[in-house]
Amino acid sequence: MACDNLLFGVSKAAFFFSNMMSASPDNRQPACLPSASLPKDGRRQAMLTAAPMKRIVDIFSALKKQMYLFASSTQLRLAPSCRSECTSDAYHPDVISLSRLASGSLGGGLLLTLIAIVSHTTGISVLFPPLAATCFIVSTCPHLRIARPKPVIVGHFIASICGLIGSWAGDALVPGSEYTSAIKLGVSVIFATITMQALDADHPPAAATSAIPAILPLPMQEYLLPIHMAWGATLCVMISILWNRGLFEFPTQTNDSRGKKYGVYMEKNQTRGTILCLAGFAMMCFQNIFPLIYTTGLICMLLGVISLGSNIFYASKEALSQ
């Protein structure tokens, strides 16, 4: 249930009060006229008392209207965390709710903690800053399209490649210049933005993935960056599905995915690609124990990303056939 924002109302009180007080005496009508049976002095006193009361009522009526308008764009919900508080109408960035504050905040921190633990245990290095932003999105804004598995996995994968290309291009265009890093940053983000949009895999945190190779040393070999970031993104997707499905369906239903495939609201190709990525993730975890399984996992992860990224071409083909 939407609540009026009291702080906003208090800030507006002085404004409306000053407007009411500055109104002409003719517009300051009493809330009710005194009875004619009262003495003249009594009627005068009653009118003097009723006029300020009328102004106070008008002030609070105006405040109520303003607070309602404010609440229509940003809501404050104090209901306990439950499924009804996790719908697309109640669990999104325009709403400040106990559910988002509790489940979203705890989920985001838990996701990044688990990613760091698994990364350290398996020896698979990832870039944590962009994945931290991804953890925030999938836990606090899960109904947004950018929180779905395809944008998360494909976005980080393709942005890693664009970051490497942009870094190499910057070194080739202005080698040894004091502006080399700036050029590398700009080119990397431009490439990443174009490719993510072209593949229908928009994921804002992935822009940071493309920028990091231009300014910071990588914790892994350059050729492993895209696969390792897809590994980290897949782990984020897996944990977010387990976490969010305790309260609501995740991935959430969209215009593109109205029906369930394999128990989730995803298209068949996206579901298959996600399953391949999950299998690749599991096999890559054996890096320190069975290198051959790790290598097989790299191939499986690559196939999964290709399946997810090529979904747009299958969708376009189906649209043209109709």
Side-chain angles (χ1 to χ4, degrees):
M1 178 180 181
C3 300
D4 292 338
N5 192 303
L6 298 180
L7 292 177
F8 179 83
V10 171
S11 66
K12 288 290 186 180
F15 173 78
F16 287 106
F17 186 81
S18 61
N19 285 347
M20 290 294 178
M21 294 303 293
S22 61
S24 62
D26 294 335
N27 293 332
R28 298 177 187 173
Q29 298 296 331
C32 57
L33 293 175
S35 173
S37 61
L38 291 177
K40 182 176 180 180
D41 293 341
R43 292 198 303 270
R44 184 172 181 274
Q45 182 63 32
M47 293 182 65
L48 292 176
T49 304
M53 291 300 297
K54 176 63 167 58
R55 290 197 295 272
I56 292 175
V57 171
D58 290 341
I59 290 172
F60 279 100
S61 298
L63 284 175
K64 183 177 180 181
K65 181 178 179 181
Q66 289 295 322
M67 286 189 289
Y68 173 77
L69 294 175
F70 180 77
S72 66
S73 60
T74 301
Q75 299 179 19
L76 176 64
R77 303 176 69 95
L78 302 178
S81 181
C82 57
R83 282 187 173 271
S84 62
E85 286 295 301
C86 296
T87 62
S88 58
D89 295 331
Y91 204 97
H92 60 85
D94 291 335
V95 176
I96 303 172
S97 67
L98 294 181
S99 294
R100 290 189 72 226
L101 290 174
S103 178
S105 303
L106 182 60
L110 179 63
L111 258 65
L112 190 61
T113 300
L114 292 177
I115 292 174
I117 291 174
V118 177
S119 173
H120 176 74
T121 303
T122 59
I124 300 178
S125 302
V126 295
L127 305 179
F128 289 106
L131 288 178
T134 296
C135 292
F136 172 85
I137 287 178
V138 298
S139 59
T140 63
C141 313
H143 294 281
L144 297 183
R145 200 168 188 273
I146 58 175
R148 297 179 65 81
K150 177 187 173 180
V152 172
I153 298 174
V154 177
H156 282 294
F157 177 85
I158 200 67
S160 300
I161 297 176
C162 293
L164 295 175
I165 294 175
S167 184
W168 297 334
D171 289 332
L173 292 173
V174 283
S177 171
E178 59 180 328
Y179 300 106
T180 300
S181 295
I183 298 298
K184 289 159 66 173
L185 283 170
V187 173
S188 298
V189 174
I190 289 173
F191 284 170
T193 304
I194 292 174
T195 52
M196 282 193 288
Q197 292 182 82
L199 295 175
D200 191 29
D202 304 61
H203 189 63
T209 301
S210 68
I212 289 178
I215 55 176
L216 295 175
L218 298 177
M220 77 289 287
Q221 297 294 326
E222 289 184 347
Y223 69 90
L224 289 176
L225 175 62
I227 296 292
H228 278 208
M229 286 305 295
W231 178 90
T234 301
L235 177 57
C236 183
V237 167
M238 181 178 67
I239 302 173
S240 65
I241 290 176
L242 296 175
W243 178 263
N244 289 328
R245 285 178 77 87
L247 291 173
F248 54 89
E249 289 283 351
F250 184 82
T252 58
Q253 186 177 9
T254 63
N255 293 332
D256 298 333
S257 305
R258 292 186 177 275
K260 285 187 176 182
K261 304 295 188 300
Y262 307 107
V264 293
Y265 287 109
M266 293 174 62
E267 299 177 20
K268 284 185 178 180
N269 292 324
Q270 290 190 28
T271 305
R272 293 168 183 168
T274 304
I275 292 174
L276 281 173
C277 288
L278 291 172
F281 160 81
M283 288 186 283
M284 288 175 63
C285 290
F286 289 92
Q287 178 184 20
N288 296 330
I289 305 174
F290 301 109
L292 181 59
I293 297 180
Y294 166 77
T295 303
T296 306
L298 293 176
I299 298 173
C300 188
M301 180 67 72
L302 180 60
L303 293 175
V305 173
I306 292 174
S307 178
L308 283 171
S310 61
N311 179 73
I312 184 175
F313 302 109
Y314 289 109
S316 300
K317 184 178 179 180
E318 292 177 358
L320 290 175
S321 64
Q322 294 176 358

